[in-house]
Amino acid sequence: MGPTDGRIESPLTEVGKLAACSPVTAPGAWFIKRDDLLPVAGSIKARGGFHEVLAYAEKLALDHGIINPASDRRSLAGEAARELFSAHKILVGSTGNLGLAIGTLSAALGFRSEVHMSADARQWKKDRLLARGVAVVEHQGDYSTAVATARSLMKESDYFVDDEASALLFYGYATAALELKMQLHAAGRKVNSQTPLLVYLPCGVGGAPGGITVGLKAIFGPDVHCFFAEPVASPCMLLQLCSGQTGPVSVSEIGLDNKTEADGLAVGQASLLVARHIQDMLAGVFTVSDDELYENMALVEKYLGFLLEPSAAAGLRGPMWLNETEAGREYLKTHQIVPDHATHVIWATGGSLVPELQRIHYRDMAEMKLRALERKEMRPSSFSLVG
């Protein structure tokens, strides 16, 4: 076993200094869930993506007698399993991080894998996959185009990871809730009606934040309040939930272009599977401009000393928005939340694998936005309650 002992987990970091010193301050105890440090894939997509690939590998191995129900599952990395897996291809459509997770683990187990990437995906993520022997197919269209193309190309011996409708992905993400429960306990933070948990999750198609929301609600019930953060150009889950439509709705239908620096969140149409699951669970959604994403990145690096991807910093202003907007204060009042007693968890979804040249670009952009931020008054952006 390696240094992680085979576990895909991330630390929970107390960030009181950020809350006390930065312009995004708000009452309560602040933590960042460091999914940017998840092993192997360096993003939240390791949770659901690895779960689905391993579940498929296990099924194939069971069906072909490579393992039995009592076998050590480490046999899935053995030569007999690799020979079996080499006859099968795994396909996925992605804006970046899911493809990175699926492609990396698929290749490690011996599968042929093909990742269809949207135009929003960063080149370094494509390069990382290509270096591992993963086929990368680039599309000029957006995320939905990449997913639809990957789905249409699936053959009899292929397996398609459907980010828009996969229960295996969804439940893989949900397991993060138990991990967070244990970490909060270790940090001495109780979760009950007097000391509620407020969680802020970046949202693209919705699978990762939706799965985590379902997991958290299963454990903490009404004492946890989950909020999604979406780019102003791509608020697909907010639109889907507020539209009242049973079919899919695209942000293009309301005149938005789905163009954002948050490549992992550049999704024009939300997962209907997720939207239906979380309709009555989600507390609210707030939107973030690209300038705010870079400001958030700069604040994290200035006060905490680490760099995130733009999309991973989307949730940073959630506590401030909740406390400083009329809708947010009304939510606190309705749910009898005393801000000083709340525990805030900001979910950082990726960034540890960003190569140095890309880091330099991010840092330059973030520092420029931070200088501009320090010259202006902080004002919350839009905040919408859906629950």
Side-chain angles (χ1 to χ4, degrees):
M1 281 291 186
T4 67
D5 197 29
R7 303 183 72 85
I8 301 296
E9 296 178 342
S10 70
L12 181 70
T13 303
E14 193 275 331
V15 291
K17 183 178 180 181
L18 179 68
C21 302
S22 82
V24 296
T25 187
W30 283 43
F31 295 84
I32 290 185
K33 185 68 171 113
R34 297 291 308 276
D35 270 9
D36 60 298
L37 296 179
L38 280 173
V40 186
S43 82
I44 193 171
K45 297 299 184 179
R47 296 186 183 278
F50 287 9
H51 178 249
E52 177 142 5
V53 172
L54 289 170
Y56 176 55
E58 179 186 55
K59 183 180 185 304
L60 279 177
L62 286 168
D63 289 347
H64 288 79
I66 303 295
I67 63 172
N68 61 59
S71 296
D72 186 332
R73 291 311 190 257
R74 284 177 291 187
S75 299
L76 295 174
E79 285 306 313
R82 291 184 66 84
E83 183 177 353
L84 169 64
F85 300 155
S86 67
H88 297 265
K89 181 192 289 186
I90 295 179
L91 298 93
V92 64
S94 173
T95 60
N97 282 343
L98 181 64
L100 196 57
I102 296 293
T104 298
L105 189 59
S106 297
L109 290 173
F111 286 102
R112 291 177 293 119
S113 55
E114 188 171 284
V115 179
H116 291 254
M117 307 282 262
S118 64
D120 315 279
R122 301 292 180 191
Q123 185 61 45
W124 70 265
K125 296 178 183 179
K126 299 172 186 176
D127 293 342
R128 195 174 181 91
L129 286 168
L130 290 168
R132 282 160 174 73
V134 177
V136 175
V137 182
E138 300 183 44
H139 297 273
Q140 292 306 307
D142 64 6
Y143 161 85
S144 296
T145 301
V147 172
T149 303
R151 186 187 290 116
S152 70
L153 293 174
M154 187 173 64
K155 299 176 182 177
E156 187 175 343
S157 63
D158 296 343
Y159 183 84
F160 175 57
V161 179
D162 192 340
D163 198 14
E164 295 180 330
S166 170
L168 283 172
L169 279 179
F170 193 70
Y171 296 129
Y173 295 127
T175 61
L178 184 58
E179 181 183 318
L180 181 62
K181 177 187 176 182
M182 294 186 291
Q183 291 173 325
L184 289 171
H185 178 76
R189 298 300 302 181
K190 295 181 179 179
V191 179
N192 55 42
S193 58
Q194 285 72 48
T195 55
L197 174 61
L198 290 83
V199 182
Y200 310 92
L201 296 142
C203 179
V205 71
I212 291 170
T213 295
V214 168
L216 289 172
K217 294 300 282 188
I219 292 172
F220 298 116
D223 299 328
V224 63
H225 306 262
C226 297
F227 300 87
F228 287 179
E230 296 189 291
V232 294
S234 311
C236 62
M237 186 59 73
L238 175 61
L239 176 62
Q240 188 67 54
L241 293 173
C242 292
S243 69
Q245 299 295 315
T246 56
V249 182
S250 171
V251 298
S252 64
E253 296 177 40
I254 58 171
L256 298 178
D257 62 11
N258 192 33
K259 295 186 182 301
T260 173
E261 286 294 298
D263 60 312
L265 311 182
V267 179
Q269 185 174 296
S271 164
L272 283 177
L273 169 74
V274 176
R276 289 164 181 161
H277 265 83
I278 65 169
Q279 177 74 59
D280 299 323
M281 297 182 185
L282 192 61
V285 181
F286 57 94
T287 56
V288 191
S289 70
D290 282 1
D291 281 355
E292 289 166 336
L293 290 171
Y294 280 115
E295 290 167 3
N296 292 351
M297 289 171 58
L299 290 169
V300 169
E301 185 165 38
K302 177 178 179 178
Y303 291 102
L304 303 177
F306 58 88
L307 191 72
L308 300 172
E309 290 183 277
S311 57
L316 187 69
R317 301 184 193 212
M320 182 193 74
W321 281 322
L322 195 57
N323 281 272
E324 295 189 14
T325 64
E326 182 178 349
R329 288 192 293 268
E330 183 62 30
Y331 186 88
L332 294 174
K333 180 180 178 181
T334 299
H335 293 271
Q336 300 181 326
I337 296 172
V338 178
D340 286 338
H341 298 168
T343 297
H344 302 283
V345 173
I346 298 155
W347 219 283
T349 51
S352 64
L353 298 184
V354 174
E356 188 55 34
L357 283 177
Q358 185 68 57
R359 284 177 175 272
I360 292 170
H361 169 71
Y362 281 160
R363 189 172 288 113
D364 288 346
M365 289 292 294
E367 288 177 355
M368 180 179 67
K369 298 301 180 184
L370 182 58
R371 288 195 295 271
L373 172 67
E374 291 170 342
R375 294 194 297 267
K376 71 180 182 181
E377 180 184 355
M378 284 285 292
R379 294 187 181 278
S381 192
S382 64
F383 185 96
S384 299
L385 299 178
V386 297

